[in-house]
Amino acid sequence: MRVLGIASDVWISSAALIEDGKIVHAVAEERYNRRKMAKDFPRASIDSCLARAGIGINDVDAVAFGWSPAGHMRQVSGRFLDTMRWRGEYLYMVPASLVRQFGSPNITNLTQHVETEDWNCNIVYVNHHMAHAASAYNLSPFEDCAIFTMDGRGDADTCTWNVGRNGTIEKVKSLAMPTSIGLLYSSITDFLGFKPHVDEWKVMALASYGKKTDYVDRLRRLITLLDDGGFEIDLSYFSFYKFDPDPYMFSEKFIELFGEPRTRDEELTSRHQDIAFAMQAVFEEIATHMLVKLHDLTGMDRLAMAGGAVMNSVYNGKILDRTPFKELFIPSCPDDSGVSLGAALYAYQQMAPGSPIIHHRDNYWGDEFSDAEIEETLAKYKLNARKCETPADTAAEMLENSKLVGWFQGRMEFGQRALGNRSILADPRREDSKDLVNKAVKYRESFRPFAPAILSERLGDYFHAPEGLEVLFMERVLDAREEKKAEIPAVVHVDGTGRVQSVDKGTNPLFYQLIEAFEARTGVPIVLNTSFNLNGEPIVRSPSDAIRSFFTCGLDAIFLGSYLIEKPKT
């Protein structure tokens, strides 16, 4: 059975194909149209999924969409139903009118069957949070676990408490708009002069520079934690919940309490750092409160999480210490980039109950290019490149010699983080490596950290981590060991932490070999790893993307499969 999952009109449009419980292909539309966080209908992504499987659309059993109009039919206005309309809107008007007349407002399922001369298929609309829950649960190694989703908003909900058991997901309770932990964080992002829904991780990084001041107490006063595990926000300080929103997500009353908001180009001050610190601290308090209640409700010790707010890797690294849960899984794509995959997984389970989902320990589900295809690209651009017998060893030597290296290998990662197949690499031992990468390639704020990619079995040697812990998707931040910080200054943040990726030999043998070769040369089993893209652009997908980026930035060398291109020495 094949299910094609799609997501569009969210923050990152994407498509994913499931075949008999296995992920065949999953890609984001931004990688094709080269517009970061593109919301377009994912036509190129769909074509790529079908091409990877060697099938046509007629071979797909169902299409699952990661957002459901059913949740928007709860309170149907006669203004939309009882007037003359464009006939195409019957797709909404007929079911909404029947529900209004006969049914409960809580629609549990909405499916269309589309049939043309060339094609017929069911289109399944999956609740947005259920798609998130399915990506967390079905990608995890857990048969039974608690599932928590937290987002800005998905359909009517902002957070859900769930149980995953024997392949099925049961929602226990939910939190609805206007109470949103994600939009609360976005409001502070807006206040600090960053772009809401895009730059929240800038606030997370900036928080590490802040201190605990009375801004924490000021923000706490706007939040009430409830005995049922939920919380309330004093909405008089915000405007994110309005149907016709104000220019900002916060109100004049918020400005009276916190002072003037930062403009986009204004210099960051200690006040801004302290407000970011306050937001991160209060976020962690609210999230912990909700997760403790989930444990109380389920009694389960395993937890799987997804949703846009689960991109908060700083908090993710603290969950096992601050809650009763003993095991935690977060997928590589917890945000809306993974909704297409979650929708496909959920629909597959509904259509084939009891059928197993194949557990994947990696997220290399995108496009790949053979050496022959890379050769064609090099020839097209008339580029001189040499073929390396051992690209991992050559790259390790370059890193030891302080070169900035582009690393383009195998299948592209699915999600917002590069995990060794579409990466830029540097020497973590150099104090100035972070500045070099920023000035030469990323052109981004100096306060944002870069990630350490470390051999999996060496994780505990450099970071405080429980025995056996794996951080395969760069999904959580860990404290660096005090005695190791001086060895790897480029990947230790100002607060002594690192957003780690533990590299497993079985999931990415070539990247593992590179880090292993770097350790043999330097004694350090870590490289600095950041995504292969320029600031404001999506991660590179093709050899052409990689070559264009290479020649428009300060990288010293690029490895395209077995081929190496170097810039001439100056």
Side-chain angles (χ1 to χ4, degrees), residues 75-85 89 92-93 97 243:
Q75 294 181 334
V76 184
S77 170
R79 180 164 62 93
F80 296 111
L81 297 185
D82 301 333
T83 56
M84 187 68 179
R85 63 198 311 105
E89 293 183 25
Y92 170 87
M93 185 269 285
S97 296
F243 184 78

Coordinates of all heavy atoms in Angstrom, one line a residue, residues 75-85 89 92-93 97 243:
Q75 N -18.1 25.8 13.9 CA -19.1 26.8 14.0 C -19.2 27.4 12.6 O -18.5 28.3 12.2 CB -18.7 27.9 15.0 CG -18.7 27.4 16.4 CD -18.2 28.4 17.4 OE1 -17.6 29.4 17.1 NE2 -18.7 28.3 18.7
V76 N -20.2 27.0 11.9 CA -20.4 27.3 10.5 C -21.3 28.5 10.4 O -22.4 28.5 10.8 CB -20.9 26.2 9.6 CG1 -21.0 26.5 8.2 CG2 -20.0 24.9 9.8
S77 N -20.8 29.6 9.8 CA -21.6 30.8 9.6 C -22.6 30.7 8.4 O -22.1 30.3 7.3 CB -20.7 32.0 9.4 OG -21.5 33.1 9.1
G78 N -23.8 31.0 8.6 CA -24.8 31.0 7.5 C -24.4 32.0 6.4 O -24.8 31.8 5.2
R79 N -23.5 33.0 6.7 CA -23.0 33.9 5.8 C -22.3 33.2 4.7 O -22.2 33.6 3.5 CB -22.2 35.0 6.5 CG -21.6 36.0 5.5 CD -21.0 37.2 6.4 NE -20.0 36.8 7.3 CZ -18.7 36.8 7.0 NH1 -18.3 37.3 5.8 NH2 -17.8 36.5 7.8
F80 N -21.7 32.1 5.0 CA -20.9 31.3 4.1 C -21.7 30.2 3.4 O -21.3 29.6 2.4 CB -19.6 30.7 4.7 CG -18.7 31.7 5.2 CD1 -18.5 31.9 6.6 CD2 -18.0 32.5 4.3 CE1 -17.6 32.9 7.0 CE2 -17.1 33.5 4.8 CZ -16.9 33.7 6.2
L81 N -22.8 29.8 4.0 CA -23.6 28.6 3.5 C -24.8 28.9 2.8 O -25.2 28.2 1.9 CB -23.9 27.7 4.7 CG -22.8 27.1 5.5 CD1 -23.3 26.2 6.6 CD2 -21.8 26.4 4.6
D82 N -25.5 30.0 3.1 CA -26.8 30.3 2.6 C -26.9 31.3 1.5 O -28.0 31.9 1.2 CB -27.8 30.7 3.8 CG -27.8 29.6 4.8 OD1 -27.6 28.5 4.5 OD2 -28.0 30.0 6.0
T83 N -25.8 31.6 0.9 CA -25.7 32.6 -0.2 C -25.2 32.0 -1.5 O -24.6 30.9 -1.5 CB -24.8 33.8 0.2 OG1 -23.5 33.3 0.5 CG2 -25.4 34.5 1.4
M84 N -25.5 32.7 -2.6 CA -25.0 32.2 -3.8 C -23.5 32.2 -3.8 O -22.8 33.0 -3.2 CB -25.4 33.2 -4.9 CG -25.1 32.8 -6.3 SD -26.1 31.3 -6.8 CE -25.5 31.1 -8.5
R85 N -22.9 31.1 -4.4 CA -21.5 30.9 -4.2 C -20.9 30.3 -5.5 O -21.6 29.8 -6.4 CB -21.2 30.0 -3.1 CG -21.8 28.6 -3.2 CD -21.9 27.8 -1.9 NE -20.7 27.9 -1.1 CZ -20.5 28.7 0.0 NH1 -21.5 29.5 0.4 NH2 -19.4 28.7 0.7
E89 N -17.0 25.6 -4.3 CA -17.1 25.7 -2.8 C -18.1 24.7 -2.3 O -18.3 24.6 -1.0 CB -17.4 27.1 -2.4 CG -16.2 28.1 -2.6 CD -16.5 29.5 -2.1 OE1 -17.3 29.6 -1.2 OE2 -15.9 30.4 -2.7
Y92 N -17.0 22.4 0.4 CA -17.1 22.9 1.8 C -18.5 23.0 2.2 O -18.9 22.5 3.3 CB -16.4 24.2 2.0 CG -16.6 24.9 3.3 CD1 -15.8 24.6 4.4 CD2 -17.7 25.8 3.5 CE1 -16.0 25.1 5.6 CE2 -17.9 26.4 4.7 CZ -17.0 26.0 5.8 OH -17.3 26.6 7.0
M93 N -19.4 23.6 1.4 CA -20.7 23.9 1.8 C -21.6 22.7 2.1 O -22.3 22.7 3.1 CB -21.4 24.8 0.7 CG -22.7 25.3 1.1 SD -24.1 24.2 0.5 CE -24.1 24.5 -1.2
S97 N -23.0 22.1 5.8 CA -24.4 22.3 6.0 C -25.1 21.0 6.6 O -25.9 21.1 7.5 CB -25.1 22.6 4.6 OG -24.6 23.8 4.1
F243 N -8.5 37.9 15.0 CA -8.8 37.5 13.7 C -8.2 38.5 12.7 O -7.6 38.0 11.7 CB -10.4 37.5 13.5 CG -10.8 37.0 12.1 CD1 -10.8 35.6 11.8 CD2 -11.1 37.9 11.1 CE1 -11.2 35.2 10.6 CE2 -11.5 37.4 9.8 CZ -11.5 36.1 9.6

